[in-house]
Amino acid sequence: MEISARNILKGKVESVEKGQVMASIKINVTDPTTITAVITKESAEKLNIKEGDDLAAIIKSTEVIVGKE
Amino acid sequence: MEISARNILKGKVESVEKGQVMASIKINVTDPTTITAVITKESAEKLNIKEGDDLAAIIKSTEVIVGKE
Amino acid sequence: MEISARNILKGKVESVEKGQVMASIKINVTDPTTITAVITKESAEKLNIKEGDDLAAIIKSTEVIVGKE
Amino acid sequence: MEISARNILKGKVESVEKGQVMASIKINVTDPTTITAVITKESAEKLNIKEGDDLAAIIKSTEVIVGKE
Amino acid sequence: MEISARNILKGKVESVEKGQVMASIKINVTDPTTITAVITKESAEKLNIKEGDDLAAIIKSTEVIVGKE
Amino acid sequence: MEISARNILKGKVESVEKGQVMASIKINVTDPTTITAVITKESAEKLNIKEGDDLAAIIKSTEVIVGKE
């Protein structure tokens, strides 16, 4: 399936931390850049996400804020 | 001001395309990765965003979806 | 690619309306329910979305608000 | 109150799972389709959401990503 | 209908600006604070939003970023 | 850094409640209005957010839904 989200950053899972409902996944996309994704614990378990996995961070362009120094 | 958003990717503006209400900004964060941000035209003009500007793409971690091959 | 978004509703494109930056896509997911998705015009064109196409509406669970009568 | 969100899917609560801050609500909108909504535990309690309740899933159209096979 | 979104700010519409797909609505919530909402032009027209209208800005708590000086 | 998000509401932290992954922050922006922000616990700790802190609630305009009575 091809998706409309314009931003797809591929990387490797550095860490997975699970709470009761949510889970925080850290993805190293290009050293030293790390993307943090917070998804449901249910998704993290259905996708069986674990350290070292290849994963893509997918971000819809309307969700991006820009900052200028 | 330090912000809570965990994902801040710095890059250079490749292009700015303005509609009547929205504007699409392409930011080269690490060659060849380009982030597309859709913001209001008003913001693009208030920040005076133009090609070649240094810009950060800011993404809250709850907005990131993950994909696994 | 399997994605973490928990809500994937399949349907058929009813209409595509393009602006300069954004595009509005109406997807009939189960008659008479129609989902409206606003994506970038660029995405609508890259995916070549047109009336009658089979399309999935993908929604991250943190984006859903609930209402109770 | 009439709201601007274009996507309002009515259904029945299948399950409610509460963490310390967030809660995951599963809403059966049209058998067999289930929508997962993650809201604050505080909201789930203020709205007194429980299994069997009639509930609407409300989704702003800019939050919808589309996927094409 | 009572909704789960924790942040509901009431105010008066200061301006409505319509593009082809999206519309920008400025709502004066407490002088001098103005909230900008970008919704679909379709919604702005269905709700018949015009200057001087009483309107609520509704924001889900997961969409709020915090900043600290 | 100046950011593109159009809505920046300044206030004082009323309460911080932490779960395992997420944290809920209540910010009194103009008495009696309180904004609830749900961010990662990690961010709440990195910004060292505590009761009485001056904090800004930052909201992108595409995240705002409007409601009309």
Side-chain angles (χ1 to χ4, degrees):
Chain A
M1 190 165 63
E2 196 183 357
I3 62 174
S4 62
R6 284 304 85 197
N7 302 307
I8 299 181
L9 303 171
K10 297 188 173 185
K12 244 182 206 341
V13 176
E14 284 180 354
S15 66
V16 179
E17 191 193 344
K18 291 180 190 167
Q20 284 170 274
V21 173
M22 303 304 283
S24 173
I25 317 289
K26 295 206 174 288
I27 308 163
N28 191 314
V29 288
T30 36
D31 219 15
T33 302
T34 296
I35 294 284
T36 303
V38 171
I39 63 173
T40 56
K41 186 181 67 165
E42 182 192 352
S43 287
E45 292 178 345
K46 284 221 175 118
L47 296 185
N48 188 24
I49 296 171
K50 50 191 189 307
E51 225 185 291
D53 278 359
D54 291 311
L55 220 65
I58 300 168
I59 302 145
K60 189 171 176 175
S61 53
T62 48
E63 305 296 353
V64 182
I65 291 173
V66 303
K68 196 176 175 181
E69 302 283 349
Chain B
M1 190 164 67
E2 198 184 353
I3 62 174
S4 61
R6 286 302 84 196
N7 303 306
I8 300 181
L9 304 171
K10 297 188 173 185
K12 248 186 201 345
V13 176
E14 284 182 355
S15 66
V16 179
E17 191 191 344
K18 292 180 191 166
Q20 283 168 274
V21 172
M22 302 306 280
S24 174
I25 317 288
K26 295 208 174 286
I27 307 164
N28 190 315
V29 288
T30 34
D31 220 15
T33 303
T34 296
I35 294 283
T36 303
V38 170
I39 62 174
T40 56
K41 186 181 69 165
E42 183 192 353
S43 287
E45 292 178 346
K46 283 218 175 121
L47 295 185
N48 188 27
I49 296 171
K50 51 191 188 308
E51 222 185 292
D53 279 358
D54 291 311
L55 220 63
I58 300 167
I59 303 144
K60 191 172 174 174
S61 52
T62 47
E63 306 296 353
V64 182
I65 290 171
V66 304
K68 195 174 175 181
E69 300 285 350
Chain C
M1 190 164 65
E2 198 184 354
I3 62 174
S4 62
R6 285 301 85 194
N7 303 306
I8 299 181
L9 304 170
K10 296 188 174 185
K12 245 184 202 343
V13 176
E14 284 181 356
S15 66
V16 179
E17 191 193 345
K18 291 180 191 167
Q20 283 170 273
V21 173
M22 303 306 281
S24 174
I25 317 289
K26 296 208 173 286
I27 307 163
N28 191 314
V29 288
T30 34
D31 220 16
T33 303
T34 296
I35 294 284
T36 304
V38 171
I39 63 173
T40 57
K41 186 182 67 166
E42 182 192 354
S43 287
E45 292 178 346
K46 283 219 175 120
L47 296 185
N48 187 26
I49 296 170
K50 50 189 190 309
E51 225 184 291
D53 279 358
D54 291 311
L55 219 64
I58 301 167
I59 302 145
K60 191 173 174 174
S61 53
T62 48
E63 305 296 354
V64 182
I65 291 173
V66 304
K68 195 176 175 178
E69 301 286 346
Chain D
M1 190 165 66
E2 197 184 354
I3 62 175
S4 61
R6 286 303 85 196
N7 303 307
I8 299 182
L9 303 171
K10 296 187 174 185
K12 247 184 202 344
V13 175
E14 285 181 354
S15 67
V16 179
E17 190 193 344
K18 291 180 191 167
Q20 283 169 274
V21 173
M22 304 306 281
S24 174
I25 318 289
K26 296 210 173 285
I27 307 163
N28 190 313
V29 289
T30 35
D31 220 14
T33 303
T34 296
I35 294 284
T36 304
V38 171
I39 63 174
T40 57
K41 186 183 66 164
E42 182 192 352
S43 287
E45 292 178 346
K46 284 221 174 118
L47 296 183
N48 187 25
I49 296 170
K50 51 192 187 308
E51 224 186 290
D53 280 358
D54 291 311
L55 219 65
I58 301 167
I59 302 145
K60 190 173 175 173
S61 54
T62 47
E63 305 297 352
V64 182
I65 291 172
V66 304
K68 196 176 177 179
E69 300 284 349
Chain E
M1 190 166 64
E2 198 185 355
I3 62 173
S4 62
R6 285 301 85 195
N7 303 306
I8 299 182
L9 303 170
K10 295 188 173 185
K12 246 184 202 342
V13 175
E14 283 181 356
S15 67
V16 179
E17 190 192 345
K18 291 179 191 165
Q20 283 169 274
V21 172
M22 303 305 281
S24 173
I25 318 289
K26 295 206 173 288
I27 307 163
N28 190 315
V29 287
T30 34
D31 219 16
T33 302
T34 296
I35 293 284
T36 303
V38 170
I39 63 174
T40 56
K41 186 181 68 164
E42 182 192 352
S43 287
E45 292 178 344
K46 284 218 174 122
L47 296 184
N48 188 25
I49 296 171
K50 52 191 187 309
E51 223 184 292
D53 280 357
D54 291 312
L55 219 64
I58 300 167
I59 302 145
K60 190 172 175 174
S61 54
T62 47
E63 304 296 353
V64 182
I65 291 172
V66 303
K68 195 175 177 181
E69 300 284 349
Chain F
M1 189 164 69
E2 198 184 354
I3 62 174
S4 61
R6 285 303 84 198
N7 303 307
I8 299 181
L9 303 170
K10 296 187 174 185
K12 247 184 202 344
V13 176
E14 284 180 355
S15 66
V16 179
E17 191 192 345
K18 291 179 191 165
Q20 284 169 273
V21 172
M22 303 305 281
S24 173
I25 317 287
K26 296 210 173 285
I27 308 164
N28 191 313
V29 288
T30 35
D31 221 13
T33 304
T34 296
I35 294 284
T36 303
V38 171
I39 63 175
T40 56
K41 186 182 68 164
E42 181 192 354
S43 286
E45 292 179 345
K46 284 220 174 120
L47 296 184
N48 187 26
I49 296 171
K50 51 190 186 309
E51 222 185 293
D53 279 358
D54 292 311
L55 219 64
I58 301 167
I59 303 145
K60 191 172 175 174
S61 53
T62 46
E63 305 296 353
V64 182
I65 291 172
V66 304
K68 196 175 177 180
E69 301 284 350

